């Protein structure tokens, strides 16, 4: 977000004309409330939709029939700065009130959760991150921005850039996985895609980086839970994605629900003012998460609503999402001297900056022809991009006996209730899609020309239909089993303690296997699952996540071999439940897991992940050789040769890691420092090289100070965080 002098002057001139009430109004975000027999705030409805209490259909019906209060009078009175919603005509109506009927004509900033696409839903973030494709991250974000703007949304509550190590946490689905380096590149690309560099173009939105900060480290993976960590962990693992987003010019940030070391992020002055605004240089504003200011009372950090509002405003929380606490209490707090006018002015200035920069004053409305175009369907090209993103996000975990790609003449028995449900392809936090745009796996396989017969048999919920199972095994040459989680089993408020396949799906797989027919298992899920049994017994495992509207076509593309899978895991998979959290970049212990009993391991589970970060197979194979490390003045140049040793072309995601062998703080056993997508024809060999800037080889200490310490570094390059070549170099950072 680059602000010109002219923009800044415009902000100041508006600010100078505002009353205190109008200023506080800008700090207030309203959600339409459903009134008349259904007294639930819109934000809760959205959560109900997300966690499965409401289906998409029920939600749409409710929205079209229920009487809603859109707070028109308050908008007219200048008491609302932002609303939530995704209906373009309603957006225009409300915007008209704000622009043409309020005293100062300040447009609303309309926000919505467009996490992985609006109408054109893309793969959930944890899946897309596995493509390691920055250009794709940017392109899908840009398309989401374009569709958002066409629906009146100028502010996306995305990207979600919480690094997370514990897949019990349901929200791992919404973010880029376990790694800080990948997460930071993902964050930057998403900001570029959402915001572009021309603020006034109608195709871009303000990004809202979330959830600031440490939410991914909630204790035990239980949503909304407490977070405690040492400063070095905060600075090295959880803050960098936000630092990267701010460097890229992210316009806004959303504070996380959790407390960090005892202080809820919502009222955490150190996090909001000192780090985010002062140190990282956020130019725009911070919004609370839904209801979070009021929750400070429940946290036991504020005595009452007023106290919570005072603490939040003073900590640098610029906008209140949905509680009315600012609207109801801030004026008196200012009059009583508990909150200064400077605090209010700073918040409003930040909010106005974003509105001015977005060009909302010049272009507050969605043009009617744009609304009509979307009513006819999504523009050409959107489904193709969704399909490409989905293809690039499928991870081949196991392919024994070359069962895949499927023989095009084979009779396929497709089983699993997930295979035929449009509600399950889009995954958590997808709210603008239309049924007619969604391709299920059953539909996709039929589209591909395969001879498919469908037998639902069993799913994540419900029973097991033995008759269908028997027919499936009797009739097919090969069985394709779709198993996993429903959409509602991941996302917000969807932590799970048992990460094995839910329901009777394992039993179904056992029975399918016992038939002696080849079984291809395709997983649809929103988090790393515990697949110890499956990895041991099933010949083929394909991780297909929730891939978006084109899921079915993309899965068929991979199963038939039309597409050679290339994605890698952005998050490690445990073998069993008790291994969580499991992640590759853990700090070195004094007793690394080994043969001896007295080492860091479990008696009854492996110490290492079943499938580690960066892991993923292809229909071809790659061989790495010749790792070379060259020291230049300000960087290391690392080269490695990769040969496609199989019989078909493919794209390999080559990864670069390092280890700081001895430092003044314990460092991770490996840290990702680079990646590249490398296309190789069958038999082709290429030398690729990575530049590792020396300034990126340091770490933050417990005072938040960045340190570059001379010493030995191990450099690794390879196909996953586990399977790498290794070299060593002594690096001196002194000039
Ligand atoms: C709660 C979620 O934590 C957040 O991610 C989301 O943006 C808001 N609600 C608004 O829906």
């Amino acid at each position: 977000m680059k602000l010109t002098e002219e923009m800044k002057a415009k902000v100041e001139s508006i600010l100078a004309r505002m009353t205190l009430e109008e200023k506080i109004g800008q700090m207030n975000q309203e959600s339409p409330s459903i009134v008349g027999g259904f007294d639930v705030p819109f934000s809760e409805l959205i959560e109900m939709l997300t966690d499965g209490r409401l289906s998409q259909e029920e939600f749409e019906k409710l929205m079209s029939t229920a009487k809603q209060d859109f707070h028109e009078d308050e908008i007219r009175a200048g008491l609302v700065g932002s609303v939530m919603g995704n209906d373009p005509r309603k957006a225009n109506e409300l915007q008209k009130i704000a622009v043409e009927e309020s005293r100062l004509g300040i447009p609303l900033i309309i926000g919505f959760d467009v996490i992985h696409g609006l109408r054109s839903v893309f793969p959930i973030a944890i899946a897309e991150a596995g493509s390691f494709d920055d250009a794709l991250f940017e392109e899908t974000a840009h398309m989401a921005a374009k569709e958002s703007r066409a629906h009146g949304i100028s502010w996306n509550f995305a990207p979600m850039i919480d690094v997370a190590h514990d897949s019990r946490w349901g929200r791992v689905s919404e973010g880029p996985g376990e790694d800080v380096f990948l997460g930071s590149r993902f964050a930057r690309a998403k900001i570029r895609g959402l915001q572009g560099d021309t603020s006034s173009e109608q195709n871009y939105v303000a990004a809202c980086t979330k959830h600031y900060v440490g939410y991914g480290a909630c204790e035990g993976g239980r949503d909304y839970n407490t977070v405690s960590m040492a400063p070095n962990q905060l600075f090295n693992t959880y803050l960098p994605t936000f630092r990267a987003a701010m460097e890229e010019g992210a316009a806004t940030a959303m504070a996380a629900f959790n407390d960090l070391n005892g202080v809820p992020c919502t009222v955490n002055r150190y996090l909001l003012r000192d780090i985010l605004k002062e140190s990282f240089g956020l130019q725009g504003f911070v919004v609370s998460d839904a209801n979070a200011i009021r929750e400070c009372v429940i946290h036991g950090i504020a005595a009452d609503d007023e106290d919570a509002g005072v603490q939040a405003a003073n900590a640098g929380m610029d906008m209140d999402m949905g509680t009315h606490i600012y609207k109801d209490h801030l004026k008196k707090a200012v009059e009583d001297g508990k909150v200064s006018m400077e605090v209010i002015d700073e918040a409003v200035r930040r909010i106005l900056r974003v509105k001015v920069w977005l060009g909302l004053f010049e272009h507050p409305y969605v043009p009617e022809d744009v609304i009509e175009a979307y009513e006819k369907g999504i523009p050409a090209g959107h489904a193709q991009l969704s399909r490409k993103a989905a293809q690039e996000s499928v991870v081949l975990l196991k392919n024994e006996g070359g069962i895949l790609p499927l023989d095009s003449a084979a009779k396929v028995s497709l089983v699993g209730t997930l295979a035929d449900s449009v509600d399950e392809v889009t995954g958590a936090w997808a709210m603008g899609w239309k049924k007619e745009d969604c391709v299920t796996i059953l539909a996709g396989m039929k589209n591909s020309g395969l001879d498919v017969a469908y037998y639902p048999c069993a799913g994540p919920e419900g029973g097991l239909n033995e008759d269908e199972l028997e027919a499936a095994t009797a009739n097919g040459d090969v069985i394709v089993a779709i198993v996993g989680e429903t959409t509602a089993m991941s996302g917000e408020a969807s932590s799970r303690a048992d990460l094995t396949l839910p329901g009777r799906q394992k039993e179904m797989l056992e029975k399918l296997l016992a038939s002696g027919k080849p079984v291809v298992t395709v997983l649809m899920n929103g988090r790393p699952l515990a697949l110890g049994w499956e990895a041991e017994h099933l010949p083929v495992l394909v991780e297909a996540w929730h891939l978006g509207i084109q899921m079915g076509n993309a899965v068929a593309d991979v199963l038939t071999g039309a597409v050679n899978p290339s994605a890698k895991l952005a998050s490690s998979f445990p073998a069993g439940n008790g291994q969580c959290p499991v992640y590759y970049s853990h700090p070195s212990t004094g007793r690394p897991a080994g043969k001896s009993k007295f080492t860091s391991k479990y008696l009854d589970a492996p110490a290492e992940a079943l499938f580690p970060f960066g892991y993923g197979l292809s229909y071809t194979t790659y061989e790495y050789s010749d790792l070379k490390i060259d020291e230049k003045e300000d960087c290391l140049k690392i080269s490695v040769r990769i040969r496609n040793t199989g019989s078909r072309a493919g794209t390999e995601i080559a990864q670069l890691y390092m280890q700081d062998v001895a430092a003044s703080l314990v460092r991770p056993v490996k840290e990702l420092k680079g990646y590249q997508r490398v296309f190789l024809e069958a038999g082709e060999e290429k030398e690729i090289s990575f530049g590792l800037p020396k300034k990126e080889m340091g770490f933050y200490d417990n005072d938040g100070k960045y340190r570059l310490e001379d010493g030995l570094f191990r450099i690794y390059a390879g196909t996953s965080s586990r399977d790498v070549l290794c070299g060593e170099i002594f690096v001196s950072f002194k000039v």
Side-chain angles (χ1 to χ4, degrees):
M1 180 173 106
K2 287 196 192 81
L3 291 167
T4 62
E5 289 308 314
E6 201 186 324
M7 290 174 186
K8 288 182 196 159
K10 181 165 179 166
V11 168
E12 294 309 319
S13 97
I14 301 168
L15 194 58
R17 284 181 286 143
M18 295 175 82
T19 63
L20 177 57
E21 285 88 341
E22 284 166 336
K23 288 178 181 174
I24 293 170
Q26 287 302 307
M27 299 168 71
N28 175 37
Q29 184 186 67
E30 290 287 352
S31 303
S33 359
I34 309 292
V35 287
F38 200 96
D39 205 7
V40 170
F42 184 67
S43 53
E44 196 179 331
L45 270 189
I46 297 282
E47 286 182 13
M48 288 169 75
L49 174 63
T50 315
D51 67 25
R53 280 180 284 163
L54 266 186
S55 73
Q56 177 85 11
E57 218 165 338
E58 287 166 335
F59 176 75
E60 275 168 19
K61 196 160 154 231
L62 196 66
M63 296 314 279
S64 61
T65 54
K67 199 165 163 299
Q68 295 177 59
D69 176 6
F70 288 94
H71 309 280
E72 283 98 336
D73 291 341
E74 287 152 298
I75 296 173
R76 196 168 288 114
L79 301 180
V80 182
S82 171
V83 296
M84 266 199 229
N86 68 340
D87 174 344
R89 291 219 164 78
K90 185 42 88 180
N92 281 354
E93 253 175 73
L94 299 180
Q95 221 34 312
K96 194 161 186 299
I97 299 174
V99 171
E100 296 178 26
E101 299 176 32
S102 76
R103 191 179 76 89
L104 292 171
I106 302 173
L108 298 162
I109 180 164
I110 301 181
F112 202 63
D113 285 286
V114 185
I115 313 300
H116 52 116
L118 183 68
R119 284 283 298 275
S120 308
V121 179
F122 301 107
I124 53 171
I126 195 173
E128 192 192 24
S131 70
F132 287 72
D133 187 343
D134 294 19
L136 180 74
F137 302 156
E138 187 172 333
E139 227 183 322
T140 54
H142 181 49
M143 197 169 278
K146 213 166 137 183
E147 289 191 358
S148 297
R149 219 42 203 258
H151 289 76
I153 302 160
S154 44
W155 182 25
N156 285 12
F157 301 138
M160 194 280 216
I161 47 175
D162 294 318
V163 167
H165 293 164
D166 193 330
S167 54
R168 289 174 293 182
W169 191 45
R171 304 200 78 168
V172 295
S173 64
E174 299 170 45
E178 75 181 46
D179 185 63
V180 59
F181 181 87
L182 175 61
S184 300
R185 294 257 298 245
F186 180 90
R188 284 182 187 276
K190 290 294 177 195
I191 301 301
R192 289 194 298 271
L194 291 171
Q195 296 193 170
D197 28 59
T198 322
S199 61
S200 59
E201 263 187 51
Q202 291 293 281
N203 287 338
Y204 293 102
V205 296
C208 183
T209 53
K210 67 186 190 184
H211 305 84
Y212 183 76
V213 63
Y215 193 20
C218 51
E219 196 175 270
R222 206 175 78 225
D223 207 2
Y224 316 117
N225 206 3
T226 189
V227 175
S228 285
M229 64 175 72
N232 84 80
Q233 204 181 353
L234 176 68
F235 276 92
N236 289 310
T237 306
Y238 294 92
L239 281 173
T241 53
F242 290 91
R243 183 193 292 270
M246 294 309 139
E247 280 172 9
E248 207 62 50
T252 77
M254 185 186 293
F257 282 122
N258 54 278
D259 76 284
L260 180 79
N261 300 333
V263 184
C265 297
T266 308
V267 293
N268 198 316
R269 178 190 287 259
Y270 169 67
L271 291 177
L272 302 184
R273 285 199 190 283
D274 300 355
I275 298 188
L276 191 60
K277 294 180 176 178
E278 293 304 318
S279 171
F280 294 176
L282 171 73
Q283 294 293 297
F285 63 92
V286 184
V287 64
S288 73
D289 204 334
N291 213 37
I293 298 185
R294 176 155 295 121
E295 285 165 21
C296 287
V297 179
I298 309 170
H299 266 299
I301 199 90
D304 51 27
D305 283 0
E306 186 199 333
D307 185 22
V310 168
Q311 287 194 43
N314 285 333
M317 176 57 68
D318 305 309
M319 188 183 279
D320 168 11
M321 185 185 278
T323 70
H324 294 168
I325 287 179
Y326 280 1
K327 198 180 90 190
D328 296 343
H329 297 284
L330 269 193
K331 185 165 180 257
K332 183 160 182 303
V334 172
E335 287 162 359
D336 292 348
K338 292 180 183 164
V339 174
S340 69
M341 263 323 278
E342 287 72 47
V343 164
I344 303 290
D345 281 349
E346 188 221 312
V348 180
R349 183 176 286 116
R350 287 173 174 278
I351 294 164
L352 290 177
R353 275 180 194 156
V354 178
K355 292 186 175 186
V356 168
W357 167 77
L358 273 169
L360 289 177
F361 286 85
E362 294 78 20
H363 306 285
Y365 306 119
V366 188
E368 185 57 30
D369 60 325
V370 173
I371 301 180
E372 282 169 12
Y374 274 91
E375 278 169 350
K376 291 191 191 109
I378 48 175
H382 289 213
Q384 280 95 313
L385 181 63
S386 184
R387 183 167 180 167
K388 175 180 179 241
Q391 291 165 343
E392 282 195 21
S393 304
V394 176
V395 188
L396 181 63
L397 296 174
K398 185 177 176 190
N399 187 18
E400 224 171 61
I403 299 178
L404 288 183
L406 294 173
D407 178 348
S408 58
K411 270 181 80 176
V412 179
S413 286
L414 179 67
V415 305
T417 57
L418 289 171
D420 188 31
S421 169
V422 279
D423 291 323
E424 300 303 338
V425 297
T426 52
W429 285 113
M431 289 176 291
W433 51 274
K434 302 262 180 261
K435 261 196 163 107
E436 61 267 24
D437 294 325
C438 291
V439 184
T440 62
I441 294 187
L442 173 59
M445 289 182 68
K446 284 188 176 158
N447 292 343
S448 74
L450 282 167
D451 177 4
V452 191
Y454 178 53
Y455 310 90
C457 291
E461 287 159 340
L464 172 65
N465 186 320
E466 302 275 357
D467 296 339
E468 287 171 356
L469 196 132
E470 222 177 281
T473 50
N475 299 337
D477 302 325
V478 56
I479 294 153
V480 175
I482 314 298
V483 295
E485 300 179 306
T486 62
T487 285
M489 288 175 179
S490 64
E492 188 177 350
S494 300
S495 296
R496 293 179 57 219
D498 181 357
L499 301 183
T500 58
L501 286 175
R504 296 179 68 186
Q505 297 179 104
K506 182 178 163 220
E507 191 185 335
M508 174 177 82
L509 291 170
E510 279 168 340
K511 290 186 170 163
L512 293 172
L513 209 54
S515 73
K517 293 270 169 76
V519 179
V520 171
T521 305
V522 179
L523 294 144
M524 282 176 79
N525 44 294
R527 56 155 64 72
L529 294 172
L531 299 174
W533 178 87
E534 290 75 5
E536 192 182 337
H537 295 96
L538 300 167
V540 180
L541 280 176
V542 179
E543 178 50 77
W545 307 105
H546 297 291
L547 292 178
I549 55 170
Q550 283 287 316
M551 172 147 199
N553 286 333
V555 167
D557 291 336
V558 169
L559 297 184
T560 57
V563 164
N564 189 359
S566 57
K568 309 275 187 169
L569 295 177
S571 208
S572 303
F573 277 46
N577 286 321
Q579 264 184 295
C580 286
V582 61
Y583 57 102
Y584 84 94
S585 63
H586 58 84
S588 311
T589 81
R591 294 186 173 193
K595 282 199 185 109
S596 155
K597 179 170 175 14
F598 299 97
T599 57
S600 179
K601 62 183 182 184
Y602 302 101
L603 291 178
D604 52 359
E608 298 232 319
L610 175 68
F611 299 116
F613 174 85
Y615 172 86
L617 304 174
S618 152
Y619 293 148
T620 187
T621 43
Y622 306 101
E623 198 177 274
Y624 284 69
S625 63
D626 239 351
L627 175 67
K628 286 194 202 113
I629 309 164
D630 254 356
E631 187 172 359
K632 308 275 178 211
E633 200 184 319
D634 56 359
C635 79
L636 300 186
K637 190 179 160 236
I638 294 128
S639 63
V640 69
R641 300 190 73 79
I642 311 175
R643 195 154 72 88
N644 180 343
T645 49
S647 56
R648 54 175 295 171
T651 297
E652 161 71 337
I653 296 165
Q655 299 154 47
L656 175 77
Y657 296 87
M658 74 162 214
Q659 181 189 13
D660 185 346
V661 177
S664 57
L665 286 177
V666 171
R667 303 297 304 137
V669 292
K670 259 185 213 129
E671 299 174 69
L672 185 69
K673 287 291 169 186
Y675 54 80
Q676 277 178 45
R677 292 172 57 85
V678 187
F679 177 79
L680 292 163
E681 296 288 356
E684 190 183 355
E685 180 169 287
K686 275 185 189 161
E687 183 181 69
I688 60 155
S689 64
F690 294 95
L692 172 53
K694 285 189 183 172
K695 63 178 188 333
E696 290 175 20
M697 295 176 73
F699 60 91
Y700 291 90
D701 65 17
N702 278 314
D703 297 320
K705 198 171 150 268
Y706 192 67
R707 304 178 71 94
L708 286 163
E709 295 180 352
D710 293 0
L712 188 68
F713 286 80
R714 284 198 189 106
I715 303 292
Y716 304 93
T719 189
S720 78
S721 61
R722 190 174 291 163
D723 190 357
V724 281
L725 301 176
C726 174
E728 286 186 347
I729 184 167
F730 186 93
V731 181
S732 167
F733 297 98
K734 298 188 184 77
V735 272

